[in-house]
Every structure is written in C-alpha cells, then in structure tokens.
Amino acid sequence: MLSVRKFGYRFTPSSLALASLGGRLVKNKVSRCRPWASLSHRSPFPFMGSCPFNSLKIQAFLVNLMGGFMGLSAPSFSTMAERILVQARDPSRLCVEIGNALDESRFDDAWKLHQQYMQMERLPRKSVLNRLLTCFAERQDPEWLEKAYSLVEFVFEKDKPDLLEMETLIYLAIIFARHRLPVPASTVLRKLVEMEEYPPVNAWSAVVAHMSQTAPGAYLAAELVLEIGYLFQDNRVDPRKKSNRPLLAMKPNTIVYNIALVGCLLFETTRKAEQLLEVMPRVGVKTDAYLLIIMAHIYERNGRREDLKKLKRHIHEACSLGDVQFRQFYNCLLTCHMNFGDLDSASQIVLELLRKAKEAQNLLSAATPLVGIAGTVKSSPLAQSSKESSNPATIDSLGDPRSIEHPVQPYEEFSRDRNFLKLESEAKETLDVLLGKLHTRVELVTSEGGILRPTEIIYAKLVKAFLEADKVKDLAEFLIRAAKEDVPVSTGNSAVIHVINACISLGWLDQAHDLLDEMQFAGVRTGSSVYSSLLKAYCEANRLREIESLLRDARKAGIQLDSSCYETMIQCKILQKDNQGALDLFKEMKEAKISKSVHQEFEMLVKDCAESREAGFMAMLLEEIKEGQRVDCGVHEWNSVIHFFCRKRLMHDAEKALKKMMALGHVPNAETFHSMVTGYAAIGGKYLEVTELWGEMKVLAASSSMKFDQELLDSLLYTFVRGGFFLRANEVVEMMEEGKMFVDKYKYRNLFLKYHRTFYKKKAPKIQTEAQCKRREAALSFKKWVGLV
C-alpha cells in the first residue's frame, strides 16, 4: 500500500480502480483531513476534485502514478489529467487570473480561463463578466466583438441578466453600431428595455445614429424608435411619479426621430418613415426646423401632395430656415406636382421663383453702391455658406457618413460621463452629416447668394411633360413668361430657341413649328437659326407644303436665312424636278449677298450645341426626353385616393377604388398594395382578405412590371404571422430571402411568442388531414426559421 503521509491520504490500487469506474462511493478514513461528503460523477477520480492541492507538479505526479497502477498509456491519460487540473482550480483564483490576463492584454488567455471557469461554475461573478465584455469591446476586433455578443446571448439564455450592468451593455451597443453591426446593437438595446434597465435617450440616440448609416441598420433603427415610442404613446407614463424618472429619461426626442427618418429617406424605406411621423404626436415629440424639411421629403416620396401643400405655410413661418432648407422644400414641391402631372402648378412655382429672384437681384444691385467701394463688394457670410452648400465637392465630402470619425472612448472614460453628453453630441453631428447627404439629391432648385432659382433640369422636365401632353400653346405661354421674368439673354440663346432646336433634333417638327408660330403671335422675335434648322429638317423629310409655309413666314418676319439653308432648299427643289423654283431660290440668295462665313459660324454653333455634354439646356433637354421614362400620373392620383380610404378605415371604398384603377388601365404598384395591407391590419381580423390580396399581387407581378419591395413584404409577413397563416408567411420569407432583403427576426420571434407560444407544442395527432399536416409543418418550419427550435 502506498502511503503519502505528508498529505494524510492513503491510496490503494483497488480503491483507485473503483474510483475510476465511478460506480461506488469510496470512503476512507484519513487523518488530518475532513471526510468527503460526496464524490463527483463527472471525474474519473472523484476525490481529486475536493483535495486542497496547490501544487500542480504534485497533481501531475499523482495522476501519472495512478495511471501506472491502472495500466493506462500516457497519451490517453493526458486528456484526463487536464480535466483533473481544471477541476482542481479554485474559482476565486481563476477570477483573479482572468483579471490579471485582461490587465496584461492577454485576451486569448483570459478567454481560455473564462471557458475553464464556465466548466466549473457556469458564469463568473458580475464584476469579472462585465470587465471581460468591455475589454473585448475596446479591442474593436470583429472576432472579439463576436465573442462578446455570444457571451451576452449566453447570459440571457441562462436567464441571468442581473449579471450585466446597463453601462456595459450601452458601451457594447455603441461599439457594435460603429462597426456596422446593427443586429447585435439593436438586440442589446432591446434586451436592456426587457430588463427594465432603461438607457437614457442621450445614449441610445447615438446607437441609432450609427445604425442609420446602412440599409439594414436604418430599418432596424426605425423599428427600435417605434418600439420604444410605443411605451410612451397617449401619456401612458405618468411624469409626476418619481419611480417613472428612469423610464422618462429613455423617451424619444426630436433628434432621434430626425435621425431615424433621414435614415429611412436615404435607403428608400419611406413608408416606414411615414409610420414614424404618424406616431410622433401621440408620443409628444415637438417639431423643429429640420423635421419640417424631412417631412417634406417624406410627403413627396409617398405622393402626399395635399399634406405637402399644407406644410408650405409652416415652412414660410419658420424663422430658422435658410436657403438650403428652402431649396429642399421647393424641390420636393416641384417633384410632387410633376409626378401628379400638374404642369400648371409646377410652372407657376417656377415663375414665382424667377420673379422673387429678379426682385432680390434688383434690391441687391441697388444696395451694392452703399456697401462697396469702387464697385467691389465683399460676399456676405450667407452667400459664402450658400456657395459652399451648392458646391458638389463639398456636399459629397460631407454626405459620406464615414468622412467623420468618432474615436472610441475607453470604457473607463466612457463610464465617467454619467449623462452621456459626448454620445449626445455624437448623435447631433451624425444627424448633420446625414442631412447633408440628403441635400445632395436636390436638383430642381439652386441658390446663389441666398437667392433661389430654378435649374435647367426643371425646365427640361416641364418642356418634356408639356410636349407629351400635347400642350404646345401652354408651353409657349410658359416660356414667354419665363423669358420676361428671367435675366435678359440674347435672342439666339433663349430657352424658347433651345426647346425648338431640341424638338427639331428629335424629329418633332410639327411641335417645333407650332412653338414658332406661338412665338410669332406673341410678338417674340426669334433668330434666323431656328428657321434655318426647321427648313432643313422639312427638306430632309421632303415636306414641301410646310417648306413653302415656313419660308413665307420667314420673309414676312424679315428673317435673313443663311447660305446652307438656301443650298438645302435648292437641292430639295432639284430632286423634285422643280428647276424653276430652284433657280428662283438661287437668285434670291445672290441678291441677298449671303456669305459663306455666316454659314460656317451657324453650323459650328448648332454642332456645339447639339453635341455638348456639359450642363447646356439643349443637351439636358435631349437627354431628359431620350432617356426619361413617361410617368403614369394616374397611378399617383389613385394611390392618393386609396391611401385616404385606408387611413380612414373605409376598406370597402378602397377596394372599389382599386378595381376602378385597374379597370382604367393603371397598374397598381407596391405603394398601392401597402396601403391596402396596412388598412386591413389596422381593422384587425381581416386575414382572409389579405390572403386574397396576396394572390392578386403574385398574379399581377407575373404579368406586369410590378415589383415587391421590402416594406410591402414586411407588412404582409407581419399580418400573416399575427394571424397564424404560416403557409403564406413562409412564401413571403422565401421571396424576401431570394431578393436578399433584410428581415428583423427578433421582431417576428417575439410576435410568435406573444400570439402562438403554445402553437403545435404537443405531438402530432395520429389522424389528421393533409391540409392540417401542411399547416403544422409550415408552423414548425417558421418556428425553426426564427430560432425557436
């Protein structure tokens, strides 16, 4: 018998064999050592886990010695030795070693020690766990961030949220958001709310700001603002109670709403943005100047023209708006009028801008001698800021969210800012950057020195729309009035001349001739270049009657044609075997003494104008007409009607409007069906109607150009999951995954648990129909997809 008297233990080969099998409880009387209460069933040597050995060498010696007694080989016994050594560690000492490893930046060792601790005690103490998470977050390495998030998930799975501190989770959320990891960032914030550890709005607004710089993050940010705002709707939280102060500190403010709304605008989820706008009054959020402009963008994208008109009064009454904000508003208003085909309203706005610009220019010219010396005037700060804002390079640099870097604070410094003031300033700075990026999309209105002017793009769009609607007389009237209000230009460079030349280039000769006649009736004199271009085009088209009519008009107006025009007409007469007419034209050209130099200069002017790829009006007009698609204004009109009925919960009227819309030949789009689905969902219980609508959508998408977008599919998925229609829900999920659209699984997991927690939990019945079997399989498949199986 081997005796180790120093430690007071007695070992025998038979007792070791029994212990290794773990089949019996071995009791030995040992001097100077307390008896073992029980033996662990996990270790092949149960008594080794309870012996107070401090020396690893003695442990290894005993392990090898016991292996020799039992006839085990060294390689197979090494794993057993490691297990014994892990179980022999003191948990408190392991915590100290984890802290030392973190102090010395030995993160790999700290992670291994943590894993050893979890094998013994499952989770370390609160201070060690939070320190481990913050140190991993400070590294900002994707691998360590993933480990930190997995550790947080494990803590919540084990239902131990008390081990996590609020400041630690906020720090993790902001790090995740900065590294474009919106799902972990939003999950951490949602878990905080579930724990009733309410993060102040100063803190979580910065998380939302960083999330809103990617498409999935912007969608999640909007969902997060809606979820948190729901807690405060309709004065649910009493501000007079002292116990509600932490909750009230989390209440969304105007800044966080502005951030979420701009994120939705930048990534084209505007119907989600409109949903945010609808709940804002119920939450009690005040409107500021930025929010007014953001609302204008949302109304324009969603076709809410009446709301946009009502907003105009508030825009003009706001005292803190500059020319940049007015540019955005008028750009939205003009775009909305153009989408609805309201050319009269759009042209009136253009004329109004020209008139006000002319008045402001006259006032500025009158004030120049008073502020300048010897004709030199220094630009005002407003003009300088306006020029900078209109400079594309400046806007592009500001518009990129990654152009402003926020240095990551160490956790120690972060925790000292108890009011999260630095995060609040970070959120405001990011909002300014996002607003700058939104401003780059303004193209119909420009500003110079604080004076708003319409751009050549809106002229091109208006001309195209007037010509497509065959409203040549209205177009001529608009161009004449615009020429009177605009700065004086030469006759050959006016907008009217460019429009006529563009029509000639496109082969729209009748429209060009009609415009020329309208100019003549209005008493507006045009240059010879227009007549020459149109006569040449008529000659190429071999339209002799129009040539004679236009030539008479030119002679009556005293227009002197160039030599190239006469040569073209003479060749046309010869081809028609009208030799006498050709001779008369030749004599007329000789008598007028027309030189070749005029012809060359004219040809060069027309060629430069037609081939120019700069921001010339004619080139822009040609590009707009050739590449621009014709807008179906009726779709916008009917969408507005259907949205009104759905908003008022008049679904029977909405259904009739949809049928009338399709009967008139207008193809519904995603916005149309989104209004219908949300209208049915608001009433409640209309799941069969939504299912029928889903079938119509699929048929329409297969036979037309209608496309499903993320917002429409998300609203369908929510309705189907809420009603328990999992066969249809799985169809929507499949379509979203094929389109690589982001899906908020966290939301649908909670929705499933809220309404279908006990759904198909029991075993399947022995007797069930094929339809019941399919419904059961669909529900289980969806449950697995959201991660509940």
Side-chain angles (χ1 to χ4, degrees), residues 580-636:
Q580 186 61 41
L583 185 61
D584 292 340
L585 287 173
F586 182 77
K587 289 180 179 179
E588 183 179 338
M589 183 180 67
K590 288 297 183 182
E591 290 174 359
K593 297 180 181 180
I594 299 172
S595 63
K596 287 283 184 180
S597 59
V598 176
H599 158 63
Q600 292 173 356
E601 289 176 3
F602 170 75
E603 289 293 337
M604 187 66 66
L605 176 64
V606 173
K607 184 178 179 181
D608 291 344
C609 187
E611 297 180 354
S612 174
R613 295 193 178 273
E614 299 177 355
F617 176 63
M618 182 178 171
M620 195 171 297
L621 178 59
L622 291 172
E623 183 180 356
E624 176 69 28
I625 294 175
K626 289 178 181 179
E627 298 182 2
Q629 297 181 354
R630 187 163 186 169
V631 179
D632 188 357
C633 303
V635 173
H636 292 277

Coordinates of all heavy atoms in Angstrom, one line a residue, residues 580-636:
Q580 N -37.4 75.6 -111.9 CA -37.7 77.0 -111.8 C -37.7 77.4 -110.4 O -37.2 78.5 -110.1 CB -39.1 77.3 -112.5 CG -39.4 78.7 -112.5 CD -38.5 79.5 -113.4 OE1 -38.0 79.1 -114.5 NE2 -38.1 80.7 -112.9
G581 N -38.2 76.7 -109.5 CA -38.2 77.0 -108.1 C -36.8 77.1 -107.5 O -36.5 77.9 -106.7
A582 N -35.9 76.1 -108.0 CA -34.6 76.1 -107.5 C -33.8 77.4 -108.0 O -33.0 78.0 -107.3 CB -33.9 74.8 -108.0
L583 N -34.1 77.8 -109.3 CA -33.5 78.9 -109.9 C -33.9 80.2 -109.1 O -33.1 81.1 -108.9 CB -33.8 79.0 -111.4 CG -33.1 80.2 -112.1 CD1 -31.6 80.0 -112.1 CD2 -33.6 80.2 -113.6
D584 N -35.2 80.3 -108.8 CA -35.7 81.5 -108.0 C -35.0 81.6 -106.6 O -34.6 82.7 -106.2 CB -37.2 81.4 -107.8 CG -37.9 81.5 -109.1 OD1 -37.3 82.0 -110.1 OD2 -39.1 81.0 -109.2
L585 N -34.8 80.4 -106.0 CA -34.1 80.5 -104.7 C -32.7 80.9 -104.8 O -32.1 81.6 -104.0 CB -34.2 79.1 -104.0 CG -35.6 78.7 -103.5 CD1 -35.5 77.2 -103.0 CD2 -35.9 79.6 -102.3
F586 N -32.0 80.4 -105.9 CA -30.6 80.8 -106.2 C -30.5 82.3 -106.4 O -29.6 82.9 -105.9 CB -30.1 80.0 -107.4 CG -28.6 80.3 -107.6 CD1 -27.6 79.7 -106.9 CD2 -28.3 81.1 -108.7 CE1 -26.3 80.0 -107.1 CE2 -26.9 81.4 -109.0 CZ -25.9 80.8 -108.2
K587 N -31.4 82.9 -107.2 CA -31.4 84.3 -107.5 C -31.6 85.1 -106.2 O -30.9 86.1 -105.9 CB -32.4 84.7 -108.5 CG -32.1 84.2 -109.9 CD -33.2 84.6 -110.8 CE -32.9 84.2 -112.3 NZ -34.0 84.5 -113.2
E588 N -32.5 84.6 -105.4 CA -32.8 85.3 -104.1 C -31.6 85.3 -103.2 O -31.3 86.3 -102.5 CB -34.0 84.6 -103.4 CG -34.4 85.2 -102.1 CD -35.6 84.5 -101.5 OE1 -36.3 83.8 -102.2 OE2 -35.8 84.7 -100.2
M589 N -30.8 84.2 -103.2 CA -29.6 84.1 -102.3 C -28.5 85.0 -102.8 O -27.9 85.7 -102.1 CB -29.1 82.7 -102.4 CG -27.9 82.4 -101.5 SD -27.3 80.7 -101.5 CE -26.7 80.6 -103.2
K590 N -28.4 85.2 -104.2 CA -27.4 86.0 -104.8 C -27.7 87.5 -104.5 O -26.9 88.3 -104.2 CB -27.2 85.8 -106.3 CG -26.6 84.5 -106.6 CD -25.1 84.4 -106.1 CE -24.4 83.1 -106.5 NZ -23.1 83.1 -106.0
E591 N -29.0 87.8 -104.6 CA -29.4 89.2 -104.4 C -29.2 89.6 -102.9 O -28.9 90.8 -102.6 CB -30.9 89.4 -104.8 CG -31.1 89.3 -106.3 CD -32.6 89.3 -106.6 OE1 -33.4 89.4 -105.7 OE2 -32.9 89.3 -107.8
A592 N -29.4 88.7 -102.0 CA -29.2 89.0 -100.6 C -27.7 89.0 -100.2 O -27.4 89.5 -99.1 CB -29.9 87.9 -99.7
K593 N -26.8 88.6 -101.1 CA -25.4 88.6 -100.9 C -25.0 87.9 -99.6 O -24.4 88.5 -98.7 CB -24.9 90.1 -100.9 CG -25.0 90.8 -102.2 CD -24.5 92.3 -102.1 CE -24.7 93.0 -103.4 NZ -24.2 94.4 -103.3
I594 N -25.5 86.7 -99.5 CA -25.2 85.9 -98.3 C -23.8 85.2 -98.4 O -23.5 84.6 -99.4 CB -26.3 84.8 -98.1 CG1 -27.7 85.4 -98.0 CG2 -26.0 83.9 -96.9 CD1 -28.8 84.4 -98.0
S595 N -23.0 85.4 -97.4 CA -21.6 85.0 -97.4 C -21.5 83.6 -96.8 O -22.3 83.1 -96.0 CB -20.7 85.9 -96.7 OG -21.0 86.0 -95.3
K596 N -20.4 82.9 -97.2 CA -20.2 81.5 -96.6 C -19.8 81.6 -95.2 O -20.0 80.6 -94.4 CB -19.0 80.8 -97.4 CG -19.5 80.4 -98.8 CD -20.3 79.1 -98.7 CE -20.6 78.6 -100.1 NZ -21.4 77.4 -100.1
S597 N -19.2 82.7 -94.7 CA -18.7 82.7 -93.3 C -19.9 82.6 -92.3 O -19.8 82.0 -91.3 CB -17.9 84.0 -93.1 OG -18.8 85.1 -93.3
V598 N -21.0 83.2 -92.7 CA -22.2 83.1 -91.9 C -22.6 81.7 -91.8 O -23.0 81.2 -90.7 CB -23.3 84.0 -92.4 CG1 -24.6 83.9 -91.6 CG2 -22.9 85.5 -92.5
H599 N -22.6 81.0 -92.9 CA -23.0 79.6 -92.9 C -22.1 78.8 -92.0 O -22.5 77.9 -91.2 CB -22.9 79.1 -94.4 CG -22.8 77.6 -94.5 ND1 -23.8 76.8 -94.0 CD2 -21.8 76.9 -95.0 CE1 -23.4 75.5 -94.3 NE2 -22.2 75.6 -94.9
Q600 N -20.8 79.0 -92.1 CA -19.8 78.2 -91.2 C -20.0 78.5 -89.8 O -20.0 77.6 -88.9 CB -18.4 78.5 -91.7 CG -18.1 78.0 -93.1 CD -16.7 78.5 -93.5 OE1 -16.0 79.3 -92.9 NE2 -16.3 78.1 -94.7
E601 N -20.2 79.7 -89.4 CA -20.4 80.1 -88.0 C -21.7 79.4 -87.5 O -21.8 78.9 -86.3 CB -20.5 81.6 -87.8 CG -19.1 82.3 -88.0 CD -19.3 83.8 -88.0 OE1 -20.4 84.3 -87.7 OE2 -18.3 84.5 -88.2
F602 N -22.8 79.5 -88.3 CA -24.0 78.9 -87.9 C -23.9 77.4 -87.7 O -24.3 76.8 -86.7 CB -25.1 79.2 -88.9 CG -26.4 78.4 -88.7 CD1 -27.2 78.8 -87.7 CD2 -26.7 77.3 -89.5 CE1 -28.4 78.1 -87.5 CE2 -27.8 76.6 -89.2 CZ -28.7 77.0 -88.2
E603 N -23.2 76.7 -88.6 CA -23.0 75.3 -88.5 C -22.3 74.9 -87.2 O -22.6 73.9 -86.6 CB -22.3 74.7 -89.7 CG -23.2 74.7 -91.0 CD -24.3 73.7 -90.9 OE1 -24.2 72.7 -90.1 OE2 -25.3 73.9 -91.6
M604 N -21.2 75.7 -87.0 CA -20.4 75.4 -85.8 C -21.3 75.6 -84.5 O -21.2 74.8 -83.5 CB -19.2 76.4 -85.7 CG -18.2 76.1 -84.6 SD -17.4 74.5 -84.8 CE -16.5 74.8 -86.3
L605 N -22.1 76.6 -84.5 CA -22.9 76.9 -83.3 C -23.9 75.7 -83.1 O -24.1 75.2 -81.9 CB -23.7 78.2 -83.5 CG -24.7 78.6 -82.4 CD1 -24.0 78.8 -81.1 CD2 -25.5 79.8 -82.8
V606 N -24.6 75.3 -84.1 CA -25.5 74.2 -84.0 C -24.8 72.9 -83.6 O -25.3 72.2 -82.7 CB -26.3 74.0 -85.3 CG1 -27.2 72.7 -85.2 CG2 -27.2 75.2 -85.6
K607 N -23.7 72.6 -84.1 CA -22.9 71.4 -83.8 C -22.5 71.4 -82.4 O -22.7 70.4 -81.6 CB -21.7 71.3 -84.7 CG -21.0 70.0 -84.6 CD -19.8 69.9 -85.5 CE -19.0 68.6 -85.3 NZ -17.9 68.5 -86.3
D608 N -22.0 72.5 -81.9 CA -21.5 72.6 -80.5 C -22.7 72.4 -79.5 O -22.6 71.8 -78.5 CB -20.8 73.9 -80.2 CG -19.5 74.0 -81.0 OD1 -19.0 72.9 -81.4 OD2 -19.0 75.1 -81.2
C609 N -23.8 73.0 -79.9 CA -25.0 73.0 -79.0 C -25.5 71.6 -79.0 O -25.9 71.1 -77.9 CB -26.0 73.9 -79.5 SG -27.4 74.1 -78.4
A610 N -25.6 70.9 -80.1 CA -26.2 69.5 -80.1 C -25.3 68.5 -79.5 O -25.7 67.5 -78.9 CB -26.5 69.2 -81.6
E611 N -23.9 68.6 -79.7 CA -23.0 67.6 -79.2 C -22.5 67.9 -77.8 O -21.7 67.1 -77.3 CB -21.8 67.5 -80.2 CG -22.3 67.0 -81.6 CD -21.1 66.9 -82.5 OE1 -20.0 67.3 -82.1 OE2 -21.3 66.4 -83.6
S612 N -22.8 69.0 -77.2 CA -22.3 69.4 -75.9 C -22.8 68.4 -74.9 O -24.0 68.1 -74.8 CB -22.7 70.8 -75.6 OG -22.3 71.1 -74.3
R613 N -21.9 68.0 -74.0 CA -22.2 67.1 -72.9 C -22.1 67.9 -71.6 O -22.1 67.3 -70.5 CB -21.3 65.9 -72.9 CG -21.6 65.0 -74.1 CD -20.9 63.7 -73.9 NE -21.2 62.8 -75.0 CZ -22.2 62.0 -75.2 NH1 -23.1 62.0 -74.2 NH2 -22.4 61.3 -76.2
E614 N -22.0 69.2 -71.7 CA -22.0 70.0 -70.5 C -23.4 70.2 -70.0 O -24.4 69.7 -70.6 CB -21.3 71.3 -70.7 CG -19.8 71.1 -71.2 CD -19.1 72.4 -71.5 OE1 -19.8 73.4 -71.5 OE2 -18.0 72.4 -71.8
A615 N -23.6 71.1 -69.0 CA -24.9 71.3 -68.5 C -25.7 72.3 -69.3 O -26.4 73.2 -68.8 CB -24.8 71.8 -67.0
G616 N -25.5 72.3 -70.7 CA -26.3 73.1 -71.5 C -27.8 72.7 -71.5 O -28.1 71.5 -71.4
F617 N -28.6 73.7 -71.7 CA -30.0 73.4 -71.6 C -30.5 72.4 -72.7 O -31.2 71.5 -72.5 CB -30.9 74.7 -71.6 CG -32.3 74.5 -71.6 CD1 -33.0 73.9 -70.6 CD2 -33.1 74.8 -72.7 CE1 -34.3 73.6 -70.6 CE2 -34.5 74.6 -72.7 CZ -35.1 74.0 -71.6
M618 N -30.0 72.7 -73.9 CA -30.5 71.8 -75.0 C -30.0 70.4 -74.8 O -30.8 69.4 -75.0 CB -30.0 72.4 -76.4 CG -30.5 71.6 -77.6 SD -29.9 72.3 -79.1 CE -30.4 71.0 -80.2
A619 N -28.7 70.3 -74.5 CA -28.2 68.9 -74.2 C -29.0 68.2 -73.1 O -29.3 67.0 -73.2 CB -26.7 69.0 -73.9
M620 N -29.3 69.0 -72.1 CA -30.0 68.4 -70.9 C -31.4 68.0 -71.3 O -32.0 67.0 -70.9 CB -30.0 69.4 -69.8 CG -30.4 68.8 -68.4 SD -30.2 70.0 -67.1 CE -28.4 70.2 -67.2
L621 N -32.1 68.8 -72.2 CA -33.4 68.5 -72.6 C -33.4 67.3 -73.5 O -34.3 66.4 -73.4 CB -34.0 69.7 -73.4 CG -35.4 69.6 -74.0 CD1 -36.4 69.3 -72.9 CD2 -35.7 70.9 -74.8
L622 N -32.5 67.2 -74.4 CA -32.4 66.0 -75.2 C -32.2 64.7 -74.4 O -32.8 63.7 -74.7 CB -31.2 66.1 -76.2 CG -31.4 67.2 -77.3 CD1 -30.1 67.4 -78.1 CD2 -32.5 66.8 -78.3
E623 N -31.3 64.8 -73.4 CA -31.1 63.6 -72.6 C -32.3 63.3 -71.8 O -32.7 62.1 -71.6 CB -29.9 64.0 -71.6 CG -29.5 62.8 -70.7 CD -28.4 63.1 -69.8 OE1 -27.9 64.2 -69.9 OE2 -28.0 62.3 -69.0
E624 N -33.1 64.3 -71.3 CA -34.3 64.0 -70.5 C -35.3 63.4 -71.3 O -36.0 62.4 -70.9 CB -34.8 65.4 -69.9 CG -36.1 65.3 -69.2 CD -36.0 64.5 -67.9 OE1 -34.9 64.6 -67.3 OE2 -37.0 63.9 -67.5
I625 N -35.5 63.8 -72.6 CA -36.5 63.3 -73.4 C -36.2 61.9 -73.9 O -37.0 61.0 -74.0 CB -36.8 64.2 -74.6 CG1 -37.4 65.5 -74.1 CG2 -37.7 63.6 -75.6 CD1 -37.6 66.6 -75.2
K626 N -34.9 61.7 -74.3 CA -34.5 60.4 -74.8 C -34.5 59.3 -73.7 O -34.9 58.2 -73.9 CB -33.1 60.5 -75.4 CG -33.1 61.3 -76.7 CD -31.7 61.4 -77.3 CE -31.6 62.2 -78.6 NZ -30.3 62.3 -79.1
E627 N -33.9 59.6 -72.5 CA -33.7 58.6 -71.5 C -34.8 58.5 -70.5 O -35.0 57.5 -69.9 CB -32.4 58.9 -70.8 CG -31.2 58.7 -71.7 CD -29.9 58.9 -71.0 OE1 -29.9 59.1 -69.7 OE2 -28.8 58.9 -71.6
G628 N -35.5 59.7 -70.3 CA -36.5 59.7 -69.2 C -37.8 58.9 -69.6 O -38.2 58.9 -70.8
Q629 N -38.3 58.1 -68.7 CA -39.5 57.3 -68.9 C -40.7 58.2 -68.6 O -40.7 59.1 -67.8 CB -39.5 56.1 -68.0 CG -38.4 55.1 -68.3 CD -38.4 53.9 -67.4 OE1 -39.2 53.9 -66.5 NE2 -37.5 53.0 -67.7
R630 N -41.8 57.9 -69.4 CA -43.0 58.6 -69.2 C -43.7 58.2 -67.9 O -43.8 57.0 -67.6 CB -43.9 58.4 -70.4 CG -45.2 59.2 -70.3 CD -45.9 59.3 -71.7 NE -47.0 60.2 -71.7 CZ -47.6 60.6 -72.8 NH1 -47.2 60.1 -74.0 NH2 -48.6 61.4 -72.7
V631 N -44.0 59.2 -67.1 CA -44.6 58.9 -65.8 C -46.1 58.8 -65.9 O -46.8 59.6 -66.6 CB -44.3 60.1 -64.8 CG1 -45.0 59.9 -63.4 CG2 -42.8 60.3 -64.7
D632 N -46.6 57.7 -65.3 CA -48.1 57.4 -65.3 C -48.7 58.2 -64.1 O -48.7 57.7 -63.0 CB -48.4 55.9 -65.2 CG -49.9 55.6 -65.3 OD1 -50.6 56.6 -65.5 OD2 -50.2 54.4 -65.3
C633 N -49.1 59.4 -64.4 CA -49.6 60.3 -63.3 C -50.9 59.7 -62.7 O -51.2 60.0 -61.5 CB -49.9 61.7 -63.9 SG -48.5 62.5 -64.7
G634 N -51.6 58.9 -63.4 CA -52.9 58.3 -62.9 C -52.6 57.4 -61.7 O -53.4 57.3 -60.8
V635 N -51.5 56.7 -61.7 CA -51.1 55.8 -60.6 C -51.0 56.6 -59.3 O -51.5 56.2 -58.2 CB -49.8 55.0 -60.9 CG1 -49.4 54.2 -59.7 CG2 -50.0 54.1 -62.1
H636 N -50.3 57.8 -59.4 CA -50.1 58.6 -58.2 C -51.5 59.1 -57.7 O -51.7 59.2 -56.5 CB -49.2 59.8 -58.5 CG -47.8 59.4 -58.7 ND1 -46.9 59.2 -57.7 CD2 -47.1 59.1 -59.9 CE1 -45.7 58.8 -58.2 NE2 -45.8 58.8 -59.6

